[in-house]
Amino acid sequence: MQGTKFTSGASLEADAENVLRAITPTLDPNRHKGQAGKIAVIGGCREYTGAPYFAAISALKIGADLSHVFCTKDAASVIKSYSPELIVHPVLEESYSVRDDEKGVISGKVLAEVDKWLERFDCLVIGPGLGRDPFLLDCVSKIIKLARQSNVPIVIDGDGLFLVTNSLDLISGYPLAVLTPNVNEYKRLVQKVLSCEVNDEEAHEQLLSLAKRIGGVTILRKGKSDFISDGETVKSVSIYGSPRRCGGQGDILSGSVAVFLSWARHAMTDGDPSISSKNPATLGCIAGSALMRKAASLAFENKKRATLTTDIIEYLGRSLEDICPVQ
Ligand SMILES: NC(=O)C1=CN([C@@H]2O[C@H](COP(=O)(O)OP(=O)(O)OC[C@H]3O[C@@H](n4cnc5c(N)ncnc54)[C@H](OP(=O)(O)O)[C@@H]3O)[C@@H](O)[C@H]2O)[C@@H](O)CC1
Ligand SMILES: Nc1ncnc2c1ncn2[C@@H]1O[C@H](COP(=O)(O)OP(=O)(O)OP(=O)(O)O)[C@@H](O)[C@H]1O
Ligand SMILES: [Mg+2]
């Protein structure tokens, strides 16, 4: 991204610390469990158990009250064993465990299990460690449709992006959808939606038109700087992160964006005038990106080359505390 039009515009840089301060709720003794956020991650299969864990535990470490994971049966006991804090639902099925003649019934059961909970969630994160099994992705398409009907915000990452890039109708025109593509995922989106290649000379305009063409979703393009657009504006978050590119940092980000998006919506409902005209999805992305990068830089200061995703997660709390101290 260096040397592009995109990075040269200093005015693009978001005032991330003030966004974090505006949307982070105070710790009020009158609040009950759940009011600081109930998040669910849809992801976790035979191959990947780390990614949904990272997303779900990050949500808790930032300050959400409850974090659920909906994953396959194979992944569930593994994810539970990482943490007793997570509520894990072993409901998803992959093709290898389902006969063709059972698919309709099983798909109905998966949907019913998720639907029981759906309206209680403030945000879903769809995709970390989901895998690409066609039957499983078909069930997840139906979950996305249900979430839309119930106006539940969704953050789409990892294999969730693989799914929606091939079925854009799932999210097109849904302003409560956030896409968090990495370099590969962004390339696939641009190719599919704009029928061209990524153009870093016109990166700002390209991101705007991508968000506009998909129809009002918010896109957080991850990279050396993160760029965020809802089709109306473009913002960047460039605060220093970490030079370590260990896997899992995007998963932290997706869980963080889910919490901050929920908090931003609550702050707006509470009538905070400093953010009343803003898009909560954009605010959630700015806050999530800034916090993830700050935590990564603190972890790197301490662990250098040995920095891993679990180390970064340990710094999420302190990073938020530095910006918004508990009163
Ligand atoms: N500890 C964990 O559990 C972690 C798990 N993680 C989880 O991993 C998943 C993939 O995410 P990622 O970031 O590796 O995807 P990305 O950069 O597009 O791909 C890199 C290359 O791999 C290939 N490829 C990927 N999946 C494929 C498949 N099923 N079958 C075939 N090819 C596949 C891909 O090829 P292409 O898509 O271009 O065809 C590209 O060349 C996702 O669920 C994520 O959450 C991460 O969050 C890290 C920590
Ligand atoms: N070159 C970089 N310098 C600093 N931070 C970066 C750089 N590249 C990515 N990041 C940060 O790391 C986080 C994850 O981005 P990344 O592109 O690694 O996602 P990802 O490939 O989806 O990760 P994951 O391994 O979890 O799937 C983002 O918050 C982004 O800001
Ligand atoms: Mg990723």
Side-chain angles (χ1 to χ4, degrees), residues 157 182 185 222 251:
D157 186 42
N182 68 11
E185 293 151 355
K222 296 177 287 193
D251 305 318

Side-chain angles (χ1 to χ4, degrees), residues 2 34 56 73 90 126 131 135 138 198 212 219 248 250 267 280 291:
Q2 218 160 21
K73 293 190 175 67
I126 298 189
F135 176 69
D138 188 53
V198 173
K212 211 173 261 165
I219 302 176
L291 194 77

Side-chain angles (χ1 to χ4, degrees), residues 2-317:
Q2 218 160 21
T4 65
K5 273 190 191 174
F6 215 16
T7 46
S8 61
S11 60
L12 287 181
E13 187 66 12
D15 185 356
E17 293 208 353
N18 271 333
V19 169
L20 277 159
R21 286 187 201 102
I23 67 178
T24 300
T26 50
L27 292 178
D28 177 346
N30 295 317
R31 285 173 183 247
H32 61 74
K33 181 178 66 180
Q35 286 187 303
K38 299 183 287 289
I39 304 300
V41 177
I42 315 281
C45 62
R46 262 210 298 205
E47 285 90 355
Y48 307 121
T49 55
Y53 164 76
F54 294 143
I57 202 77
S58 298
L60 287 179
K61 291 275 182 178
I62 288 169
D65 288 334
L66 292 163
S67 193
H68 292 240
V69 178
F70 291 79
C71 58
T72 66
K73 293 190 175 67
D74 293 327
S77 43
V78 181
I79 297 171
K80 282 180 209 240
S81 76
Y82 297 150
S83 165
E85 329 281 349
L86 303 177
I87 301 163
V88 183
H89 307 259
V91 297
L92 302 180
E93 300 274 3
E94 292 183 83
S95 304
Y96 70 83
S97 63
V98 182
R99 288 199 320 264
D100 277 352
D101 61 328
E102 300 174 320
K103 283 188 171 154
V105 176
I106 304 267
S107 166
K109 279 189 181 159
V110 171
L111 262 268
E113 277 298 319
V114 178
D115 197 25
K116 265 192 336 215
W117 291 89
L118 196 64
E119 290 197 14
R120 301 182 203 173
F121 295 130
D122 296 297
C123 190
L124 301 184
V125 181
I126 298 189
L130 194 59
R132 295 187 185 175
D133 178 79
F135 176 69
L136 186 146
L137 291 185
D138 188 53
C139 290
V140 173
S141 301
K142 292 175 179 148
I143 294 173
I144 295 176
K145 287 179 189 158
L146 274 182
R148 262 187 97 150
Q149 279 165 18
S150 307
N151 264 328
V152 177
I154 45 182
V155 176
I156 312 243
D157 186 42
D159 299 312
L161 287 167
F162 175 80
L163 169 65
V164 302
T165 301
N166 294 317
S167 307
L168 286 163
D169 283 353
L170 288 172
I171 40 126
S172 180
Y174 188 45
L176 294 175
V178 173
L179 315 184
T180 56
N182 68 11
V183 63
N184 285 327
E185 293 151 355
Y186 188 72
K187 186 171 159 211
R188 284 197 290 265
L189 260 180
V190 168
Q191 286 169 339
K192 182 72 188 229
V193 178
L194 301 176
S195 307
C196 63
E197 293 304 316
V198 173
N199 176 0
D200 279 335
E201 296 300 313
E202 304 281 342
H204 177 158
E205 293 77 4
Q206 195 170 47
L207 179 61
L208 263 174
S209 31
L210 184 63
K212 211 173 261 165
R213 279 285 282 280
I214 300 178
V217 302
T218 298
I219 302 176
L220 192 174
R221 178 188 181 181
K222 296 177 287 193
K224 190 170 175 221
S225 291
D226 291 339
F227 290 97
I228 297 150
S229 180
D230 58 2
E232 299 290 326
T233 61
V234 179
K235 287 285 172 196
S236 63
V237 177
S238 316
I239 66 168
Y240 189 70
S242 154
R244 276 282 281 135
R245 300 268 61 79
C246 54
Q249 295 179 71
D251 305 318
I252 300 180
L253 181 73
S254 63
S256 310
V257 170
V259 177
F260 287 121
L261 193 171
S262 312
W263 286 356
R265 291 185 87 211
H266 285 145
M268 282 173 171
T269 315
D270 294 346
D272 182 334
S274 70
I275 52 170
S276 58
S277 61
K278 305 270 175 24
N279 179 344
T282 306
L283 296 176
C285 289
I286 292 169
S289 167
L291 194 77
M292 156 63 212
R293 293 169 78 95
K294 185 167 162 58
S297 94
L298 291 175
F300 184 76
E301 244 172 64
N302 195 23
K303 292 283 183 93
K304 303 292 185 220
R305 275 181 208 277
T307 308
L308 296 180
T309 297
T310 42
D311 300 312
I312 300 174
I313 289 169
E314 286 314 307
Y315 279 100
L316 287 170

